[in-house]
Amino acid sequence: MSVFDGGLAHQQTPGVADYAEYDVDIVSPELPCGCAWLVNCLLELDVPIWKPWNAQDGSDWSRLAPLRYRYTNRAAPFARTLPALAADRTFDFLPRPAPRVMHYWPGFYPPVRKTIFFTRDPRDALHSAWHRARALGLVAADIGFASFAASRYFHYPLSWAEYQLLFLRIWRDALAERPHLIVRYEDYRQDPLATLRAALEFLDVAIDPTALQHAVDRSSFERLHQLESCESIAGNSPARVNRAGIANEHRATFTPAMHGGLGTRYTSVYSWLRYDADRSPPQSASVSNTTDIRHLADAMSIDQANATSRAWLIERLQHQTADISLGAWAIPQDPMPHLRHGTGDRARGVY
C-alpha cells in the first residue's frame, strides 16, 4: 500500500511491464542545472527513463515486445530538453538500470541501489533560474537578481536562494549514507565524454566508444539550442529554455551587488561540491523556531514519507535551518499544486 499521495505515488514505480521497480535515482535541485543532458544521453544509449520529473507519460508509450517500446506522443512535450523522445521512435531498452529522474527530497521513496546527484554551481543555477522565471512569466520581467534570489520560492516559506541551499544540505546528509556519484554541470561542459563515461561506469553500463560519442552529440547544448531556435523561428516556442550553456557564468557576469545578494550562505556546499568560494559579506538570518519548521515540513509534504524517513527529515531540518531565515509567508491549503494538478516541472521549465 502506497504511503504517498496521488502526485508522489505516480513515480513510486515505473509502472510498465518489464520494469517492476526503479533501481537508481537521478536527483537534481529544482533549478536549471543541465540534468536533462545526462537523461537524454541515457535515452540515446537505450537506458529506459520512465516518468521523468513525475511526467504523466503512461499513454506516451506502446510496448511492442519485451524491452522494446515506441514513443508515441506527437506533441513532443520534451522536445527542448529530451529530444531523444521523438514521436514514433522505437527503443530496444536495456533490462537495467531503470533510473527515476526527480527533484524530490530524500526519504519520499524507498532506498534504491545507487544515486546520481546532478548539480551546478549555486550561483549559476540561480542566475539561470532568474532568466528563465522572467521568460516564463513566473516573476516580474523587471525584477533584479538579488530581489529574485530573496523572493518566495513557490509555496515554500523560503526564498529561491534558501530553497536551493536547504536542498543541497539535506541531500548532502542523505548521500553520505548511500552509494552515490556527484555529476557537475561544469564537468559535463568541459568534457562531456569523460563525464558520461564516469556515470555509465557507476551504473555498470558498458557502451562502445562510438555509441558514447553519438549520445553526446545528440544531447549537446549546441544541438538543443539549434532545435529551439528553429522552433522559435516557426513561432512554436514562446520562451527559450536553452539560453547560454556557459559554465561558471557568474565569474564574468556577477556584479558586487549580485554576489552581495547571496552572501556567504553557500560556503559549506561550495567546499563539498568543489566550487570556488567568494568573499561576499555574510547575510543576516533569523533563527528558526518550531512553528517555522512545521510550516516548512508542510510545504515539503513530509507527511507523505514513511515514519522513519519523516523523522530523519525533521531532524535534518532542525539542524540545517538554524542559519536560514524562514519567511512569514502563509502556506496554501494545497502545498504541492504543481504535482496534484498535473502542471509539473514542464510548466516551470525546470531540468
Side-chain angles (χ1 to χ4, degrees), residues 59-125:
S59 61
D60 295 348
W61 292 95
S62 176
R63 184 175 184 263
L64 307 179
L67 302 180
R68 186 175 178 83
Y69 290 80
R70 177 175 294 147
Y71 189 74
T72 60
N73 191 334
R74 294 187 175 276
F78 287 106
R80 293 184 288 164
T81 50
L82 302 179
L85 295 180
D88 297 325
R89 178 171 177 176
T90 297
F91 295 84
D92 291 303
F93 283 135
L94 300 173
R96 61 180 305 179
R100 171 171 42 213
V101 180
M102 65 177 187
H103 296 309
Y104 296 137
W105 303 88
F108 281 158
Y109 295 113
V112 292
R113 188 169 56 93
K114 294 180 177 180
T115 300
I116 290 180
F117 191 79
F118 200 106
T119 187
R120 185 180 187 179
D121 188 299
R123 289 158 288 205
D124 289 334

Side-chain angles (χ1 to χ4, degrees), residues 185-245:
Y185 175 85
E186 294 73 19
D187 298 330
Y188 133 59
R189 293 300 292 154
Q190 180 177 1
D191 193 340
L193 275 172
T195 303
L196 179 56
R197 189 179 297 112
L200 293 172
E201 289 176 357
F202 177 73
L203 296 175
D204 299 317
V205 175
I207 300 294
D208 70 81
T210 301
L212 197 69
Q213 183 66 61
H214 177 79
V216 165
D217 292 342
R218 298 287 294 176
S219 307
S220 70
F221 170 83
E222 291 74 18
R223 178 171 183 262
L224 268 64
H225 191 271
Q226 182 180 18
L227 291 173
E228 193 170 33
S229 296
C230 293
E231 284 192 2
S232 296
I233 293 173
N236 299 325
S237 179
R240 180 172 290 280
V241 171
N242 301 291
R243 182 185 59 87

